[in-house]
Amino acid sequence: MISVFELFKIGIGPSSSHTVGPMKAANSFLRALADTGVMAAVAGVRIDLFGSLAWTGRGHATDKAVILGLAGEMPETVDPDRADAIVAEIASKGRLRLGGGPGVPFDPAVHLVFDGVTECPKHPNTLAFTALDAAGAVLRHERWCSVGGGFVVPEDEVGAPAPADAVPVPYDFRSGEQLLGFGRDSGLKIAEMVLANELTLRAGDVVETHLARVAETMMFCIDRGLATDGELPGGLFVKRRARRIYEKVVAGRGMNLKRAHEPMDYVSTFAIAVNEENAAGGRVVTAPTNGAAGVVPAVLRYYRDFCEGADEAGIRTFLLTATAIGGLFKMNASISGAEVGCQGEVGVACSMAAAGLAAALGGSNEQIENAAEIGMEHHLGMTCDPIGGLVQIPCIERNAFGAVKAINAASLALHGDGTHVVSLDKVIATMRQTGLDMQSKYKETSQGGLAVNLVEC
């Protein structure tokens, strides 16, 4: 089971796989040093970044993330406004205090290695941590993989089956067909089945609090993005534009210039606002990744602000239903751009948002599954080719298009009866195979596509 607590994580930008995941892995290594009793003997540390983490890690702030993790910070609690200052202080003093301890000598240029040559045997997002004593002997060495969406696992556990002692849930679906079958047998909606599963692990008030916090964080991120001007970091000189576009749309409404496509203008601006915040390293919800963090919030905001009858129950239904769809992609394909390209990020986010909106608007389980299938079907083959390794071009606009597509997918599905030719399971399998067939230069390496054709464009 992929829980709503796992799929919707609160963290910081710019990347779930390259920032959130590495920070969590670094923090886990830090805790292991303390738990195994070797912390006092540590005289130095080394971090090696491989594959996509090496190729696009600088643009995705992977170096910053692992330093913060070793300093004791976590994505959900670190202050994004202080993160850069923490890293700068460590670099200027040349000393890294491991979780607040006395510290060890640390020079990022020496002790943090971007290895773009060594192959990754298990996953393209691989990183290694090594702790050394004063004589240079290895005290502890760990290799981790950041498998997308902020999920991290030890390298030797990549692809391993779920533990045998996992808590059983009443609706243990592993496919869309099983999910629909459970719904027919029980008479429950998808959101109700997901909630029943969650309640086997946590108290109802804990689940409700998390859902409310996720929604609140999404809305706050939109609002902050809509109120902020300036230039995004990274050297591409990309100007924030969500505020400017939003003000134009609002001004047009004030002059009674209401256009038929106005709601879609708002939706696009909501998504752009989130992804500008993400690109700037702000607080976002991983949904299911940071690179695609604007799609679900934008569609959720559309539901809240533009759909008649929208309420808090509908928001919970939206998020719980989106969890089921995101979980299916996570279990049966991937949500990692480094594995399957942007179809695994914006494509999955679109599928999740389409299903969530269809559910919140009262769709049947079959209509919801149809909406999810439509959302992904029209993202198949989408590459991940960030210019400069930054989640700015084309990532920000892709979220706007993904959000609009999600609304369209939900509308098409709700106009039907749920009957369709290509099932969600088939489109998930197709996405996985397409990702396997895709050349590595189009999978978050910045070695192909727009990433190498900026001048020509």
Side-chain angles (χ1 to χ4, degrees):
M1 170 186 162
I2 306 296
S3 168
V4 67
F5 287 78
E6 297 172 302
L7 204 64
F8 291 115
K9 295 181 285 291
I10 298 171
I12 63 169
S15 171
S16 49
S17 60
H18 288 54
T19 312
V20 175
M23 192 187 304
K24 290 169 63 177
N27 191 274
S28 181
F29 180 69
L30 175 71
R31 294 197 308 270
L33 294 178
D35 294 343
T36 56
V38 302
M39 182 70 84
V42 176
V45 294
R46 173 185 167 113
I47 307 103
D48 292 274
L49 306 175
F50 306 102
S52 180
L53 297 181
W55 294 320
T56 62
R58 289 183 176 87
H60 285 59
T62 307
D63 45 355
K64 166 182 162 182
V66 294
I67 292 171
L68 287 170
L70 291 173
E73 301 287 354
M74 281 290 283
E76 187 167 342
T77 55
V78 64
D79 182 352
D81 295 326
R82 288 192 61 248
D84 287 332
I86 294 171
V87 174
E89 181 181 4
I90 291 169
S92 65
K93 292 184 176 180
R95 200 157 190 85
L96 174 61
R97 298 179 64 193
L98 297 171
V104 298
F106 188 80
D107 180 355
V110 175
H111 300 114
L112 204 162
V113 179
F114 289 83
D115 183 348
V117 178
T118 303
E119 293 187 4
C120 306
K122 292 291 190 72
H123 193 280
N125 294 332
T126 301
L127 64 166
F129 301 93
T130 307
L132 308 166
D133 65 14
V138 174
L139 293 170
R140 187 171 183 85
H141 178 76
E142 293 181 0
R143 289 173 65 92
W144 288 79
C145 293
S146 181
V147 296
F151 291 84
V152 290
V153 294
E155 185 182 49
D156 58 3
E157 294 181 16
V158 173
D165 59 351
V167 177
V169 294
Y171 304 103
D172 188 16
F173 57 89
R174 300 304 170 111
S175 68
E177 183 180 359
Q178 287 182 330
L179 180 59
L180 292 176
F182 280 130
R184 286 190 292 269
D185 293 342
S186 66
L188 298 177
K189 291 291 188 71
I190 291 173
E192 294 172 319
M193 291 185 282
V194 173
L195 180 59
N197 287 347
E198 295 288 345
L199 294 180
T200 64
L201 305 176
R202 300 172 181 87
D205 60 333
V206 175
V207 177
E208 187 168 331
T209 297
H210 179 70
L211 291 171
R213 188 177 177 213
V214 165
E216 180 183 13
T217 303
M218 287 179 173
M219 297 306 112
F220 177 79
C221 186
I222 290 174
D223 291 336
R224 179 164 172 162
L226 293 177
T228 307
D229 283 321
E231 186 177 286
L232 296 174
L236 289 182
F237 311 111
V238 174
K239 302 288 186 183
R240 286 183 182 246
R241 51 182 167 156
R243 177 175 178 174
R244 173 169 47 85
I245 298 172
Y246 181 71
E247 288 175 346
K248 284 185 176 181
V249 176
V250 172
R253 171 173 280 192
M255 293 184 290
N256 215 19
L257 298 176
K258 184 174 176 61
R259 300 175 176 87
H261 57 78
E262 180 183 285
M264 295 304 100
D265 290 340
Y266 277 105
V267 170
S268 296
T269 309
F270 297 154
I272 290 171
V274 172
N275 284 87
E276 287 178 347
E277 280 295 293
N278 179 62
R283 176 78 65 210
V284 298
V285 176
T286 300
T289 68
N290 282 30
V295 177
V296 171
V299 179
L300 187 63
R301 181 72 160 244
Y302 167 80
Y303 166 73
R304 193 196 77 175
D305 292 358
F306 291 93
C307 295
E308 186 177 353
D311 55 17
E312 295 299 320
I315 290 174
R316 289 192 294 272
T317 293
F318 187 115
L319 294 174
L320 289 167
T321 303
T323 297
I325 303 306
L328 289 175
F329 279 100
K330 178 73 174 62
M331 287 186 285
N332 298 304
S334 175
I335 57 172
S336 169
E339 269 194 307
V340 295
C342 197
Q343 59 175 358
E345 297 201 33
V346 170
V348 173
C350 176
S351 185
M352 291 168 59
L357 180 60
L361 295 178
S364 67
N365 288 346
E366 287 73 19
Q367 289 171 319
I368 294 166
E369 186 259 0
N370 188 14
E373 182 276 324
I374 295 171
M376 171 51 72
E377 184 177 333
H378 303 289
H379 281 90
L380 289 173
M382 179 175 280
T383 59
C384 184
D385 50 354
I387 294 175
L390 300 164
V391 285
Q392 297 178 17
I393 305 172
C395 316
I396 294 173
E397 285 183 354
R398 278 186 180 170
N399 276 258
F401 278 83
V404 171
K405 281 185 178 181
I407 295 170
N408 194 24
S411 178
L412 288 172
L414 291 173
H415 277 85
D417 62 1
T419 302
H420 55 113
V421 175
V422 180
S423 70
L424 177 60
D425 291 333
K426 288 180 180 177
V427 86
I428 291 175
T430 302
M431 187 271 268
R432 180 179 180 276
Q433 188 59 53
T434 302
L436 292 174
D437 293 340
M438 191 181 292
Q439 293 183 41
S440 63
K441 67 181 181 179
Y442 297 114
K443 294 192 283 190
E444 208 167 357
T445 61
S446 289
Q447 296 178 324
L450 286 175
V452 299
N453 286 296
L454 175 59
V455 175
E456 296 175 17
C457 293

